[in-house]
Amino acid sequence: MNVARRLAFRLGLGLAALAASARAHDPGISTVEGKLSAGALVLVTGFAPADATQLIAPAARKEGSWDQADFDAVHAELRRLALRLWEVKEGDTVLAPADLSVQLLPGDNVSFRHVFPLSRGGDGLRLRAPLLGELSDSHRQFAIVVDEMGSVIVKKLLSARDPAFETPGPASPPAPPPSDWAIAWGFFRQGVLHLWTGYDHILFLLALLVVCTRFRDCLVIITSFTVAHSLTLALAALEVLSLPARLVEPVIAASIVYVGVENLLRRGAEPRGRWALTFAFGLVHGFGFAGVLRELGLGAGGQGIALPLLTFNLGVEAGQIAIAAVVLPLL
């Protein structure tokens, strides 16, 4: 058995074990959507449970997805977390929320809602997310704030190094329009990081490629995934078709099991029609990425989701191509 076949065999073992707990991994993105009026600022912040659990007491943490019982068990912790989630200043005055609530929304999204009353709406606001520093360095929070008419007045990707933004008050001069390209670049980088830190996806990609004996076959596999991924991305972004996570995630896990078992049974010999399997996986995985971002609230309230989704997934593809460029010469 040559090196490639031994590697395929080991990848098969690893993937078969990994798939038992496979789930669409957390993209490292949270969201905050705000609505600013003369009398109040309403913020709705969405976290994946994998991120929310890192912000509560260690004794209350739970790995994996949450059901309602899991949420109820940590609801008091989440309420305490909500009080530390945002620091909002109106001029030099630190505002306290007049109302806050925490919910577990469909799609496994932990949603925090804050209502901050404003006394001097014309002074402008400064918002800071102090807890971003407690998450991974690669975590980003997509912030978007609209006025009473629904027009976007702030749009920014926050990070631990840059966790704050300002929003003009009703009496302030209009701010320059937000740069969609800056947001797009941020989501592109996040897509690359998401792929490079998604060990399950990297193992799956290597397991697909390691049995290929010709460069053309590798190229067909990569192209099949990219085309399929782009197709379902477009359908999801345009809201033409979407699939619930409860269907997408088991199919992703099943595809990982299939590739692992196939590599084991064939002892690294190249199977026929692997491009078709890759195409099918790409279709499902495209829905998975779109679903993960949507479940965090991205695009809610009528805001556009197409550009963030497109650039995030382009980043995923770029990360995949970079890995393949290193692996293919070795194969």
Side-chain angles (χ1 to χ4, degrees):
M1 188 184 296
N2 60 26
V3 174
R5 291 190 176 189
R6 288 198 299 272
L7 181 56
F9 181 79
R10 291 172 182 174
L11 283 172
L13 286 174
L15 283 168
L18 174 68
S21 60
R23 186 179 185 271
H25 42 283
D26 171 28
I29 296 177
S30 54
T31 63
V32 56
E33 298 191 52
K35 185 172 183 179
L36 177 64
S37 65
L41 171 70
V42 179
L43 295 179
V44 178
T45 310
F47 282 100
D51 292 322
T53 195
Q54 297 302 311
L55 300 175
I56 60 179
R61 293 176 181 175
K62 177 187 179 297
E63 298 297 328
S65 60
W66 290 3
D67 57 23
Q68 189 62 44
D70 297 323
F71 175 78
D72 292 341
V74 296
H75 184 261
E77 285 286 339
L78 293 173
R79 291 275 301 185
R80 284 191 285 270
L81 169 63
L83 294 173
R84 302 186 295 122
L85 204 56
W86 286 102
E87 179 187 274
V88 180
K89 287 187 176 181
E90 186 180 27
D92 295 326
T93 303
V94 178
L95 302 181
D99 181 49
L100 64 85
S101 60
V102 188
Q103 293 180 289
L104 181 66
L105 300 183
D108 212 18
N109 168 25
V110 181
S111 178
F112 299 83
R113 184 177 185 273
H114 296 73
V115 179
F116 293 93
L118 306 178
S119 59
R120 302 191 307 272
D123 287 347
L125 303 172
R126 179 174 174 80
L127 292 84
R128 189 172 74 91
L131 300 185
L132 289 183
E134 298 183 19
L135 299 173
S136 69
D137 290 340
S138 63
H139 188 93
R140 298 293 182 268
Q141 187 167 76
F142 181 53
I144 185 168
V145 180
V146 301
D147 61 19
E148 291 178 290
M149 303 300 293
S151 300
V152 176
I153 55 176
V154 175
K155 191 189 298 184
K156 184 177 180 180
L157 269 180
L158 307 178
S159 66
R161 294 183 179 183
D162 185 14
F165 64 95
E166 295 183 359
T167 178
S172 303
S179 170
D180 284 335
W181 290 113
I183 298 297
W185 173 245
F187 272 98
F188 178 87
R189 291 180 66 254
Q190 199 67 10
V192 174
L193 290 173
H194 179 57
L195 189 283
W196 286 351
T197 57
Y199 60 89
D200 52 346
H201 187 96
I202 293 173
L203 283 176
F204 183 80
L205 176 63
L206 293 177
L208 287 171
L209 298 179
V210 75
V211 297
C212 296
T213 57
R214 294 177 298 176
F215 179 80
R216 190 189 73 173
D217 295 335
C218 294
L219 187 61
V220 169
I221 285 176
I222 294 173
T223 304
S224 296
F225 186 92
T226 301
V227 171
H229 202 274
S230 300
L231 178 61
T232 49
L233 163 64
L235 292 175
L238 297 174
E239 299 185 345
V240 174
L241 180 64
S242 63
L243 295 178
R246 67 177 183 275
L247 297 180
V248 172
E249 289 171 6
V251 175
I252 290 176
S255 68
I256 295 175
V257 171
Y258 183 88
V259 171
V261 171
E262 188 175 51
N263 282 357
L264 287 171
L265 296 178
R266 291 181 175 271
R267 296 284 175 170
E270 183 175 353
R272 297 179 59 185
R274 176 149 283 190
W275 69 269
L277 173 69
T278 308
F279 185 86
F281 178 81
L283 288 174
V284 177
H285 209 70
F287 282 124
F289 276 136
V292 167
L293 295 180
R294 278 189 178 280
E295 287 161 7
L296 291 177
L298 189 61
Q303 302 307 320
I305 192 177
L307 184 61
L309 272 176
L310 175 61
T311 51
F312 180 84
N313 281 275
L314 286 176
V316 170
E317 300 307 331
Q320 179 176 256
I321 291 171
I323 291 174
V326 174
V327 172
L328 291 184
L330 300 178
L331 299 181

